[in-house]
Amino acid sequence: MGPVPPYVVVGLVVLAGVALFLAGSLGTALLRPHAPTADKLTTYESGVDPVGEGWAQANVRYYLYAYLYVVFAVDAMYLLPWATVLRLPGFGWRTLAEMGIFLGVLGVGLAYAWRRGVLRWL
Amino acid sequence: MAVDLPAPRVGPLAEAAPRPLRLVLNWGRRYSLWVFNFGLACCAIEFIAASMARHDFIRLGVIPFAPGPRQADLMIVSGTVTDKMAPAIKRLYEQMPEPKYVISFGACSNSGGPYWDSYCVTKGVDQIIPADVYVPGCPPRPEALLHGILRLQEKIAAEQVSGAAIAQRRRPASAAQLTRPLVGPGGSGPLRPAGS
């Protein structure tokens, strides 16, 4: 038998994961107690009756965390596969320039954050 | 709230477990207790001391400080149970998933302790929830808590979890049990065993 095609390996790993999950769920379903009471089904609030809803509004100023996350993490996600293929034959200065344009756009965003002062650690 | 909830039951494999499987399940359950500490008064300090370096009940498998009742299977009531706090204790005990155990730690939660004559103290946590192990003392030494945990582990080792056992624990105390006289000097066993 020759080398196994890589996507077959991926498929087998996914199947093994699903099978493991199902086996675990089935095992606990066969073993666990099922004993609901009215009190047990109430929402937890430190032993007292729960008041209000579960939803609360977050202040919009926290958008900066999401913004910086996009600038840095999405950036890294595109840089990593690019770095593995850059040195191969067929990729050259043009590849570098394309990534440079992408980094330039991200740099504008980073400059905005810098000017707003959110990168300063007080 | 006129919905009828189903009777307590355990999974079919646990109900019909042969003895070797039951031994394994009991072993796993008694050496991985996650404790929801109900620290109410001075006994809570002794509980914390028992969880720290010198005495350390983590070596018995008891993981301290569960985030809430839903992630716990052992509740250690340590301190005076006031009448104001009693409904919260009952609610939090109910919110713990089965199978669950209760250790009553200290004189106040055993029977009211030094506040046996107070106007606002619940004289013993077993008036509202069933307790498995009582650790006497005011406050008990941390070693006493370790002993109590060992006793609980022995009790779990001999246990058979079933729907009937869970329903038995939930039965309210009978009138005869509530009005029984105090145990005499030649007394016979624990004061109020859970579920009987």
Side-chain angles (χ1 to χ4, degrees):
Chain A
M1 189 174 130
V4 181
Y7 279 113
V8 172
V9 175
V10 172
L12 286 177
V13 169
V14 169
L15 275 180
V18 171
L20 192 64
F21 169 75
L22 287 177
S25 298
L26 184 69
T28 53
L30 286 176
L31 286 172
R32 66 168 166 249
H34 181 72
T37 66
D39 264 350
K40 194 185 276 193
L41 298 173
T42 55
T43 305
Y44 169 71
E45 192 156 332
S46 299
V48 297
D49 292 329
V51 293
E53 295 185 358
W55 289 103
Q57 191 174 20
N59 198 311
V60 71
R61 69 171 180 253
Y62 294 117
Y63 85 96
L64 283 165
Y65 287 94
Y67 179 79
L68 284 177
Y69 174 80
V70 168
V71 167
F72 287 112
V74 172
D75 168 23
M77 201 173 66
Y78 284 109
L79 277 174
L80 286 174
W82 169 83
T84 57
V85 299
L86 182 60
R87 285 302 214 167
L88 297 177
F91 300 90
W93 291 104
R94 197 177 144 194
T95 313
L96 188 63
E98 285 172 355
M99 183 51 79
I101 297 171
F102 178 64
L103 287 179
V105 172
L106 286 177
V108 172
L110 189 59
Y112 164 78
W114 194 327
R115 281 296 305 271
R116 275 192 76 87
V118 297
L119 296 179
R120 180 180 293 275
W121 192 269
L122 282 168
Chain B
M1 291 286 273
V3 178
D4 257 337
L5 292 167
R9 59 172 175 83
V10 292
L13 191 60
E15 190 87 50
R19 190 177 150 78
L21 180 63
R22 204 170 80 230
L23 283 177
V24 170
L25 292 176
N26 285 355
W27 173 87
R29 204 162 53 240
R30 77 179 186 269
Y31 288 132
S32 66
L33 293 166
W34 205 354
V35 61
F36 174 53
N37 173 39
F38 222 97
L40 297 168
C42 359
C43 281
I45 308 300
E46 294 298 326
F47 174 88
I48 293 168
S51 73
M52 291 293 141
R54 189 182 290 265
H55 305 285
D56 192 22
F57 57 54
I58 301 183
R59 60 195 157 115
L60 302 175
V62 178
I63 310 170
F65 310 129
R70 301 224 198 267
Q71 287 92 15
D73 48 358
L74 168 63
M75 182 156 116
I76 296 187
V77 183
S78 40
T80 318
V81 180
T82 54
D83 288 344
K84 201 166 185 179
M85 192 64 175
I89 295 181
K90 178 95 175 105
R91 172 71 61 86
L92 290 168
Y93 173 76
E94 291 289 330
Q95 285 181 339
M96 286 167 66
E98 311 285 346
K100 53 194 171 189
Y101 311 97
V102 174
I103 292 182
S104 167
F105 183 62
C108 287
S109 58
N110 287 351
S111 62
Y115 307 108
W116 63 275
D117 206 17
S118 167
Y119 61 96
C120 62
V121 166
T122 301
K123 320 294 187 297
V125 76
D126 55 4
Q127 291 198 359
I128 44 178
I129 59 180
D132 291 291
V133 172
Y134 299 83
V135 181
C138 188
R141 292 260 334 159
E143 289 91 336
L145 181 59
L146 298 177
H147 188 190
I149 293 174
L150 285 175
R151 280 275 176 271
L152 178 66
Q153 287 176 342
E154 288 168 16
K155 195 171 173 181
I156 297 173
E159 189 186 32
Q160 166 113 27
V161 180
S162 66
I166 297 174
Q168 165 100 349
R169 272 174 82 96
R170 285 187 185 170
R171 262 190 3 225
S174 63
Q177 192 185 13
L178 283 176
T179 56
R180 62 167 170 36
L182 292 174
V183 176
S188 56
L191 284 179
R192 191 196 299 268
S196 69

